[in-house]
Amino acid sequence: MRFKLLLFSLLSIGIGYAQKQPFTPAQLFKNEKTNLLQALPTIRDWADDSHYLLVKNEKEYSVDVKTGQESEFRLKGGWTIHPPMSALTGEGGQNPTFSPDGKWLAFTRDSKNLYLKDLTQYQEKQLTTDGSETVYNGYAAWLYWEEVLGRSTQHKAFWWSPDSKYLAFMRFDETRVPVFPIAGATGQHGYLERQRYPKPGDPNPLVKMAIVEVATGKMVWADYNANADHYFGTPFWTPDSKALWMQWKSRGQDTLKLVAIHPETGNKTELVSETQKTWVDWLSDVHFVKDGKHFIRMSDESGWMHLYLHTMDGKLKNPITSGNYTVTGVSHVDAKNGLVYFTARKENSARIDLYKVKLDGKGIQRLTFGEFSHQVQVSPGGSYFITTYSNLQTPAKMALLDKNGKLIRELGDAKGTGFDKFTVARTELVRVPTADGFQLPVVIKYPANYDPGKRYPVMISIYGGPNAGRVYDRWSYSPQEQWYAQEGLLQVGIDHRGSGHFGKAGQNFMHRNLGKWEMEDYQTAVKWLVDKGLADPKKVAITGGSYGGYVTALALTRGADVFTHGIANFGVMDWQLYDTEYTERFMDTPAENPEGYKESSVLTYADRLKGTLRIVHGTMDDNVHMQNSIQLVDQLENLGKHFEFMVYPGARHGFGTTAKGKHAQAETARFIYRYLLEKPFPTEVWP
């Protein structure tokens, strides 16, 4: 009887599995309805501590956390309507930003000078007059936009004080920065862009910080040598507007100082100084405690990113968190009850959870639940939070919880009614051991009809830069990946020791020798895949863009005994050809580390190429110049090596969803079908 029941159970499972169906090209690529997934609620933010904002049917509603009752939302005092930004700023206006009190508008014009507009009288005031082709006020030089302030700033380099009385801004002078020519090939004669771009060892932009008193126009400069070779990071105004806290970093980037600037005099007072043997990263934020007496700083100087409590004069009071895990951010600080709500990769380095802990570091408590990765939105007073949670096997869900982690209600589930009808490729996270004790996280998406007795061609997609891991235990779905799974491709992601899973202690391995440990760890993971009978050792492909393009080209040369195929998209082929701030942070200058630059260069290993390498680059890439790929092409040609080269005229860094991007995607598919799958190319998927 027991045998019959077991047999019936197994047959039932087999029938259920057999009833599942593969996806058609139309379902994956032509938006034919499947009901596989559905949208989660769109929760924009919190209105207050007990109401969240729900966007629905192009309207916004305030939802009561206790009752779930919805009411159409309006800002207190009604909507504030301003004229179009173009009318406020005039021709050439950039980054218009209202003062906190709404009475002023700050903006730059033509990337050169900084302006104010009095919105009570609509009078314009020009704050600077020395802007030129190489001098920019309030508008970031390329290096600062890309590496320091961030792309999301759109070059904005000015900051309002909370009381609207002051406006701080950076002034950039690129006169000494070398020019890199970027050639445009359109038209009969073409044209030339002249980009100010410092490469390792070159002069950087000279930067100064000014503070303007809005009412009077009085301007003071922060007390720094205007010709000093250093960096300034994103500044932070104190909540009372009595000081601008600046970040200063040495050119060598091993020392970071937090310095308070007096807005009326420009005088500075050092608050915190941190030095590491490798490099120090910028502070993404400073969290001021509402008692007005303390602030919280994040630092990885212990080898792991943690929280530290300081008094307002900079003195360290105590660590708030500690241990071999990474804190990813502060979600809320409850000064009244002495609590900090923060996110961390603590239970599992591939997952993020929400925790709370006392300011003295005691009583840490996990608030999120299960074996999931959580993305949280904490209410302004810390009484509630909303989490969007998932893992590799479970589509995202959304839930509302109180400050103790008690579930109030489920808000949504991305799993659609048709999910169980289809054969969705199984995805798994494993840990691969290295000889020196690391457990490398590897995510594997198996072929849809996986046969344990068969080896499969493998495609590894990577980025690979320091603290830029891609392996997480959270739901991820793309039609393209599902299609390749149905076609029999083993798709893999690997994070090395410097990817962030092992804290700053792991990242430090990469200091002065980019490329070495990426190759060591990636090869270890591939050999594990081969040893386990998963991967066909004759079809091990790798691809990535930017830093991933660098790693791909390095894999086909330095790692040629393991990797057989690769598509290197717009990669850095020699670190002497990239910019100062990013490269020197990890490598120091070529004069200081000549051997490291040589050993990290793809050009050094060009003679080892024996697999199939495709090099891809846009001709007008202003981030990773096509010079990188051209120098590798030149080297390979001189060595008589076979390779493929795809050029995208006029394309910048990355191709996105443009016609060039669609072409690149199709050509990648042709590469996979020709060399890995050895099947006819499906023109119904990629015309």
Side-chain angles (χ1 to χ4, degrees):
M1 176 63 72
R2 183 176 299 175
F3 173 76
K4 289 182 178 179
L5 288 173
L6 177 61
L7 180 62
F8 177 77
S9 176
L10 290 172
L11 287 171
S12 298
I13 293 173
I15 292 170
Y17 182 82
Q19 289 176 339
K20 289 193 174 186
Q21 60 193 60
F23 293 94
T24 66
Q27 289 170 332
L28 289 176
F29 299 103
K30 305 296 183 183
N31 295 320
E32 186 175 295
K33 193 172 183 179
T34 62
N35 294 319
L36 183 78
L37 300 170
Q38 59 188 3
L40 289 171
T42 302
I43 296 177
R44 185 178 66 80
D45 204 347
W46 288 87
D48 54 41
D49 197 43
S50 59
H51 295 81
Y52 61 86
L53 298 177
L54 175 68
V55 179
K56 186 170 61 174
N57 299 324
E58 299 184 353
K59 292 184 178 181
E60 193 165 58
Y61 298 87
S62 174
V63 184
D64 188 299
V65 297
K66 293 181 179 179
T67 66
Q69 183 176 351
E70 301 175 5
S71 57
E72 196 165 343
F73 180 68
R74 288 288 185 271
L75 292 170
K76 291 181 180 180
W79 300 103
T80 300
I81 305 297
H82 290 288
M85 287 297 186
S86 58
L88 289 171
T89 63
E91 187 177 351
Q94 300 153 313
N95 295 314
T97 305
F98 293 106
S99 60
D101 64 8
K103 295 179 181 179
W104 296 88
L105 185 75
F107 61 96
T108 56
R109 184 170 288 150
D110 299 325
S111 312
K112 298 174 182 178
N113 286 306
L114 184 63
Y115 294 77
L116 277 178
K117 177 156 283 190
D118 183 341
L119 297 180
T120 61
Q121 302 179 25
Y122 284 92
Q123 292 181 346
E124 185 176 287
K125 182 190 298 184
Q126 184 170 347
L127 298 180
T128 65
T129 58
D130 62 342
S132 68
E133 292 301 315
T134 56
V135 173
Y136 330 119
N137 294 282
Y139 186 92
W142 184 91
L143 181 74
Y144 270 70
W145 168 76
E146 172 66 24
E147 307 294 5
V148 181
L149 302 180
R151 297 181 189 177
S152 63
T153 64
Q154 296 295 311
H155 292 269
K156 177 176 170 286
F158 57 86
W159 300 267
W160 281 105
S161 64
D163 64 5
S164 304
K165 292 182 179 179
Y166 298 101
L167 182 68
F169 72 91
M170 288 182 183
R171 176 188 184 273
F172 303 88
D173 183 349
E174 292 202 292
T175 305
R176 303 187 310 164
V177 178
V179 171
F180 188 86
I182 300 177
T186 57
Q188 184 179 9
H189 301 289
Y191 61 97
L192 195 66
E193 290 183 358
R194 295 170 55 83
Q195 181 189 25
R196 297 281 174 172
Y197 188 110
K199 304 209 172 191
D202 284 345
N204 270 333
L206 295 176
V207 187
K208 299 196 297 183
M209 178 74 81
I211 301 176
V212 179
E213 187 176 46
V214 174
T216 65
K218 176 187 174 184
M219 186 181 300
V220 300
W221 296 92
D223 184 19
Y224 282 97
N225 181 349
N227 296 309
D229 193 8
H230 56 207
Y231 295 102
F232 291 147
T234 301
F236 313 102
W237 280 102
T238 57
D240 60 10
S241 301
K242 290 184 178 179
L244 178 73
W245 286 13
M246 289 179 60
Q247 297 186 73
W248 174 95
K249 197 189 284 190
S250 60
R251 173 73 183 251
Q253 301 192 62
D254 55 0
T255 298
L256 172 67
K257 293 183 178 183
L258 190 61
V259 179
I261 305 297
H262 193 284
E264 294 182 1
T265 64
N267 293 340
K268 65 178 185 285
T269 302
E270 185 175 309
L271 301 169
V272 180
S273 180
E274 177 183 335
T275 299
Q276 296 190 30
K277 291 182 179 180
T278 54
W279 70 87
V280 185
D281 286 316
W282 295 108
L283 294 171
S284 59
D285 206 349
V286 170
H287 304 275
F288 295 101
V289 182
K290 287 186 177 180
D291 63 3
K293 299 177 181 179
H294 301 89
F295 70 93
I296 296 170
R297 177 180 68 100
M298 292 181 65
S299 171
D300 58 13
E301 58 188 323
S302 69
W304 296 87
M305 186 66 77
H306 282 294
L307 304 177
Y308 297 86
L309 182 66
H310 293 257
T311 53
M312 288 297 285
D313 60 0
K315 292 180 181 177
L316 176 65
K317 191 169 184 180
N318 59 264
I320 300 174
T321 61
S322 61
N324 293 345
Y325 65 91
T326 295
V327 172
T328 58
V330 173
S331 299
H332 177 68
V333 180
D334 181 351
K336 181 179 178 181
N337 296 302
L339 293 170
V340 181
Y341 294 77
F342 67 95
T343 52
R345 298 160 68 173
K346 187 175 185 295
E347 315 299 316
N348 182 324
S349 68
R351 301 180 191 142
I352 295 177
D353 281 286
L354 178 69
Y355 301 83
K356 68 178 177 181
V357 66
K358 294 180 180 178
L359 283 169
D360 62 7
K362 297 178 181 178
I364 186 170
Q365 178 185 348
R366 183 189 182 206
L367 299 176
T368 42
F369 52 84
E371 294 185 354
F372 301 103
S373 190
H374 294 261
Q375 182 180 352
V376 299
Q377 296 170 279
V378 179
S379 64
S383 298
Y384 305 93
F385 69 92
I386 293 168
T387 175
T388 302
Y389 63 98
S390 69
N391 58 33
L392 287 168
Q393 293 78 36
T394 310
K397 296 182 179 182
M398 185 178 285
L400 171 67
L401 298 93
D402 69 14
K403 62 183 178 182
N404 296 312
K406 181 182 178 181
L407 177 67
I408 296 175
R409 74 177 66 89
E410 295 283 351
L411 301 179
D413 188 344
K415 186 176 180 179
T417 57
F419 187 87
D420 294 327
K421 297 178 182 178
F422 295 94
T423 307
V424 179
R426 179 168 66 94
T427 309
E428 180 183 23
L429 191 149
V430 299
R431 303 275 176 168
V432 175
T434 68
D436 54 350
F438 287 95
Q439 295 287 326
L440 305 176
V442 176
V443 65
I444 304 170
K445 188 177 292 292
Y446 292 89
N449 295 310
Y450 174 67
D451 179 355
K454 181 180 176 182
R455 290 183 180 272
Y456 290 89
V458 58
M459 174 59 85
I460 302 165
S461 298
I462 42 85
Y463 178 72
N467 197 26
R470 296 288 181 89
V471 176
Y472 285 95
D473 189 8
R474 59 191 178 205
W475 176 255
S476 175
Y477 175 86
S478 83
Q480 183 171 286
E481 289 180 353
Q482 178 62 39
W483 177 261
Y484 283 137
Q486 289 186 177
E487 289 289 77
L489 188 66
L490 191 74
Q491 298 166 84
V492 175
I494 306 168
D495 277 352
H496 55 75
R497 67 190 61 200
S499 62
H501 287 266
F502 309 99
K504 184 64 185 302
Q507 296 170 50
N508 287 340
F509 278 82
M510 302 179 76
H511 189 228
R512 293 170 65 92
N513 59 8
L514 292 178
K516 173 180 169 58
W517 292 106
E518 297 94 303
M519 283 301 98
E520 292 278 347
D521 290 346
Y522 289 155
Q523 289 180 89
T524 295
V526 170
K527 290 174 182 176
W528 183 91
L529 291 170
V530 172
D531 290 344
K532 293 295 181 181
L534 295 169
D536 180 347
K538 296 181 180 179
K539 295 180 179 180
V540 178
I542 183 170
T543 188
S546 199
Y547 198 104
Y550 161 67
V551 172
T552 296
L554 202 63
L556 268 291
T557 53
R558 189 172 184 171
D561 289 339
V562 172
F563 297 92
T564 62
H565 299 78
I567 304 175
N569 298 299
F570 38 89
V572 178
M573 302 307 178
D574 188 311
W575 286 105
Q576 293 186 88
L577 307 180
Y578 197 52
D579 72 53
T580 50
E581 201 277 347
Y582 185 90
T583 306
E584 292 175 10
R585 190 189 321 165
F586 310 117
M587 293 290 291
D588 295 330
T589 67
E592 294 167 326
N593 184 22
E595 194 61 28
Y597 274 83
K598 179 181 178 182
E599 291 185 2
S600 69
S601 174
V602 178
L603 306 181
T604 302
Y605 310 97
D607 62 327
R608 299 188 190 179
L609 175 65
K610 57 184 179 182
T612 302
L613 172 64
R614 176 177 293 176
I615 303 165
V616 182
H617 223 121
T619 62
M620 299 193 72
D621 192 329
D622 58 349
N623 186 335
V624 178
H625 298 140
M626 197 176 75
Q627 171 195 38
N628 284 270
S629 289
I630 292 296
Q631 289 196 10
L632 178 58
V633 165
D634 182 51
Q635 185 94 325
L636 293 173
E637 288 175 347
N638 291 340
L639 290 166
K641 293 288 185 177
H642 171 72
F643 62 95
E644 299 178 0
F645 188 31
M646 180 68 71
V647 175
Y648 285 97
R652 302 288 183 175
H653 195 60
F655 312 133
T657 57
T658 64
K660 304 292 188 189
K662 293 177 181 178
H663 183 272
Q665 189 179 75
E667 286 303 312
T668 295
R670 290 180 186 277
F671 186 99
I672 290 171
Y673 273 89
R674 178 180 180 182
Y675 297 118
L676 304 180
L677 298 176
E678 296 182 332
K679 293 181 178 181
F681 182 70
T683 54
E684 71 273 21
V685 177
W686 289 279

